[in-house]
Amino acid sequence: MSKRFPTGAGIVIIVAILSVASFINLGLLDVSRWGLAFRNLAIFSRELSPPRWDILPVLLPAIWETIQISFAGTILGFLLSLPLAFLGTHTLFNQLITTVARGLVGAIRTVPSILFGIIFVIAVGLGPKAGVLGVALYTVGYLAKIYYEAFEAVDGEVIEAVRSTGCNRLQLFRFAILPETFNTLISQLLFMFEYNIRASTIMGFVGAGGIGYYLVGYVQMLQYQHLMMAIILIFVVIMAIDLVSFRIRARISAPRY
Amino acid sequence: MNTIKPKISKPRFTDDTVGLVLRAKSLWHSYNQKNFVLEGVDLDLKEGMSMMVLGRSGSGKTTLIKILAGLIRPSRGQVEYFFDRDATPSSRVVAYIPQNLGLVRNLSAIENVLMGVLGRTPTVATMFGRFRAVDHEQAARLMADLGIGDKIDKKIWHLSGGERQRVAIARALIQNPRLILADEFVSQLDPVTSMEILAMVKKLTQNKIAFLATTHDVLLAKEYADFVVVMRNGKLIMPAAFKDMIIEEIMKDGYE
């Protein structure tokens, strides 16, 4: 065998070639356009200020609806993802069942959240109901995967010890897997809720309730000062929820021996 | 479930199986089809007898005990269990204590003990954490006997190593087993605590429950086992014999 080309250098060169090629193809290296872009951005940001504080009474109920969509959707998705993760765990079920469960979860995960929004707006009509269902399915795609991976990471000795008592797999799940992964489950659930605030905002774009509806409306009607107000509000809410959630998660996942 | 069911052959009760709980016949095992971890292990275990398997790390002790517990199927050979005759529905014939005990740290001590009765409790009740009153009483009694009666509702991670070991023993005993298999029993505890716990186990199991443990502590084995066997490179190099007869030989043989 001849001398091998260093793998690391090879990967760097390939990534560099691909990057430059895609930059050229996508017009990113077209300098004449950049001047235009900066000029437009400057105009846009001038029009964003000052934010219109007087529309807060309209936006507050809307963002409250978004928070509720995120909350309800996360809880619903959590309830759906538990059984799917249970069925997807190799320590509990055979290859056939886990493959089907994991395939379903994978299929759900490939659909972007906004597409779920559209699907449910068609199914149940405009409004937050569609948003909740969309967020719920989106949640299943992620939580179920994180959960079955957590279930499988449970210490093999604990599984063996509990299984050797002659219990069935529901009992094994209830007494070994669930308590051993409980902190992970809750901490990931909080993270998902945090993340779903953003997903719920997007839901409004397609008329599935919440503040996203206003966001899109302001863009289309060129009301950039209204838009600025909505963005500030979303920013504050997301920061607040992130902070609270982070605090709780840090407490839950503190190691204990 | 991906559990490997032990290959329990129908026991043939003959004259030479009187009083036996377990007979392993020429067990061979390999994890990779090349190197054998066990090379033809034969083992007889009699009712109420305590046996310690001595051996260094990597000698095949854990593999042997997992095969006996039915967690691994041996590549060759078989294990026969002889307790069909009067095994009651409320008894699991083999109780297993893994090396690191396998306790669920997020649950209380008594919940861990009660796991031993999962097999004889209706599934729906257990889902809500409910167990029979008799089982509750037995769990509390066993824990009191083992000296952890005041630790019943403590979470496992609040317990010391010795207390955890006692919880694991209680979980084994509540299964009303005919045989307890313990891997590297008490090996992570200080000598005084290990002696204390072994004496306790001896008292609780004496003449009723067969006890087989692996260890690397020669003195412990000498002190507490009726029989000591030595495992080296996948072979039991000393067949079951009275401990008094062989302990000098073990030393002479340059174990460790």
Side-chain angles (χ1 to χ4, degrees):
Chain A
M1 215 170 131
S2 62
K3 214 171 151 191
R4 272 179 55 198
F5 194 74
T7 325
I11 290 172
V12 170
I13 290 171
I14 289 170
V15 171
I17 291 172
L18 283 176
S19 316
V20 172
S22 50
F23 285 172
I24 292 171
N25 284 339
L26 301 174
L28 276 169
L29 297 185
D30 186 351
V31 186
S32 61
R33 280 195 184 172
W34 280 104
L36 195 65
F38 282 123
R39 207 160 50 243
N40 286 342
L41 271 179
I43 295 168
F44 179 62
S45 48
R46 228 184 359 259
E47 287 182 4
L48 280 172
S49 60
R52 287 282 300 269
W53 300 96
D54 57 308
I55 58 163
L56 263 182
V58 178
L59 290 182
L60 279 176
I63 190 119
W64 177 234
E65 189 172 77
T66 296
I67 295 171
Q68 288 183 81
I69 291 171
S70 170
F71 184 75
T74 309
I75 292 294
L76 196 59
F78 169 71
L79 294 177
L80 291 171
S81 61
L82 273 184
L84 272 174
F86 177 63
L87 293 170
T89 306
H90 282 134
T91 24
L92 291 167
F93 290 95
N94 62 34
Q95 195 71 40
L96 179 70
I97 295 172
T98 54
T99 307
V100 171
R102 286 173 179 223
L104 188 60
V105 172
I108 292 172
R109 205 169 44 247
T110 54
V111 180
S113 62
I114 195 160
L115 194 51
F116 277 129
I118 294 170
I119 291 168
F120 284 111
V121 163
I122 294 166
V124 301
L126 290 167
K129 206 197 288 174
V132 171
L133 294 173
V135 170
L137 264 187
Y138 181 69
T139 302
V140 168
Y142 283 90
L143 273 192
K145 180 177 163 69
I146 290 167
Y147 283 0
Y148 64 63
E149 279 172 2
F151 293 163
E152 285 188 359
V154 172
D155 183 6
E157 252 194 10
V158 175
I159 302 282
E160 275 177 1
V162 177
R163 185 176 269 165
S164 77
T165 65
C167 65
N168 57 41
R169 53 193 120 192
L170 261 178
Q171 291 171 326
L172 184 66
F173 183 69
R174 162 73 175 78
F175 284 93
I177 295 175
L178 208 52
E180 285 282 291
T181 55
F182 189 73
N183 294 346
T184 314
L185 301 194
I186 298 301
S187 132
Q188 293 298 336
L189 180 63
L190 277 168
F191 180 79
M192 202 68 212
F193 169 61
E194 214 179 297
Y195 189 82
N196 276 346
I197 296 279
R198 301 162 182 79
S200 309
T201 306
I202 308 277
M203 285 298 161
F205 289 11
V206 294
I211 198 164
Y213 175 71
Y214 292 91
L215 224 49
V216 149
Y218 294 149
V219 170
Q220 285 169 348
M221 315 235 275
L222 309 180
Q223 290 170 313
Y224 294 143
Q225 293 169 359
H226 295 67
L227 179 67
M228 189 62 193
M229 188 62 243
I231 290 171
I232 290 172
L233 191 60
I234 294 169
F235 175 78
V236 169
V237 165
I238 286 182
M239 288 307 283
I241 287 176
D242 278 10
L243 189 70
V244 173
S245 158
F246 176 78
R247 285 272 164 84
I248 300 175
R249 284 193 286 127
R251 280 189 70 141
I252 289 176
S253 51
R256 287 186 274 184
Y257 298 100
Chain B
M1 212 179 322
N2 297 348
T3 169
I4 298 159
K5 292 265 157 47
K7 192 177 161 198
I8 301 180
S9 39
K10 195 89 189 138
R12 291 178 301 276
F13 294 100
T14 57
D15 282 349
D16 75 319
T17 65
V18 171
L20 273 189
V21 283
L22 176 152
R23 167 169 283 175
K25 277 194 253 178
S26 65
L27 295 178
W28 288 74
H29 193 71
S30 170
Y31 290 105
N32 57 9
Q33 320 301 330
K34 272 188 295 198
N35 310 320
F36 279 90
V37 190
L38 293 186
E39 301 182 355
V41 170
D42 292 295
L43 192 71
D44 277 2
L45 208 59
K46 292 216 170 75
E47 280 170 10
M49 164 170 130
S50 70
M51 180 186 272
M52 291 246 186
V53 182
L54 270 172
R56 317 169 88 141
S57 313
S59 59
K61 290 175 298 181
T62 297
T63 305
L64 174 64
I65 218 153
K66 282 193 174 178
I67 287 175
L68 297 183
L71 292 164
I72 302 177
R73 197 193 298 244
S75 309
R76 242 178 288 159
Q78 59 172 345
V79 182
E80 285 181 294
Y81 302 88
F82 297 92
F83 22 45
D84 274 7
R85 274 179 293 192
D86 54 340
T88 59
S90 71
S91 77
R92 288 276 307 160
V93 286
V94 182
Y96 164 67
I97 304 176
Q99 189 166 353
N100 298 311
L101 308 178
L103 298 173
V104 180
R105 289 167 304 166
N106 231 338
L107 295 179
S108 70
I110 196 162
E111 282 174 302
N112 270 279
V113 175
L114 282 168
M115 279 182 209
V117 303
L118 282 177
R120 60 182 199 244
T121 312
T123 306
V124 177
T126 58
M127 287 301 112
F128 297 99
R130 300 197 58 81
F131 291 89
R132 290 194 183 90
V134 274
D135 291 331
H136 251 290
E137 281 161 28
Q138 195 189 353
R141 201 169 52 242
L142 279 170
M143 292 174 80
D145 287 348
L146 286 159
I148 45 169
D150 55 334
K151 300 291 189 326
I152 279 181
D153 293 318
K154 285 264 192 300
K155 290 269 165 74
I156 293 301
W157 54 50
H158 295 306
L159 301 184
S160 70
E163 288 161 349
R164 292 180 191 196
Q165 183 75 66
R166 289 162 213 244
V167 173
I169 295 165
R171 184 185 58 196
L173 287 172
I174 204 172
Q175 299 175 42
N176 300 328
R178 306 291 296 278
L179 166 64
I180 295 178
L181 298 167
D183 196 11
E184 285 296 340
F185 196 59
V186 300
S187 63
Q188 285 156 5
L189 302 178
D190 62 90
V192 178
T193 313
S194 342
M195 296 270 176
E196 204 180 296
I197 288 179
L198 268 170
M200 216 169 251
V201 170
K202 195 162 185 171
K203 208 179 89 196
L204 288 169
T205 58
Q206 193 118 60
N207 303 327
K208 295 185 302 248
I209 304 168
F211 182 75
L212 186 142
T214 65
T215 182
H216 52 253
D217 188 330
V218 180
L219 292 176
L220 216 64
K222 174 180 153 47
E223 193 69 31
Y224 288 98
D226 300 335
F227 292 85
V228 179
V229 292
V230 175
M231 185 140 209
R232 176 175 292 170
N233 301 328
K235 291 191 187 81
L236 283 184
I237 57 167
M238 250 170 261
F242 278 101
K243 58 169 182 178
D244 297 333
M245 288 164 60
I246 66 152
I247 197 73
E248 281 75 30
E249 289 176 50
I250 296 170
M251 299 298 201
K252 211 163 49 194
D253 203 40
Y255 164 77
E256 299 225 319

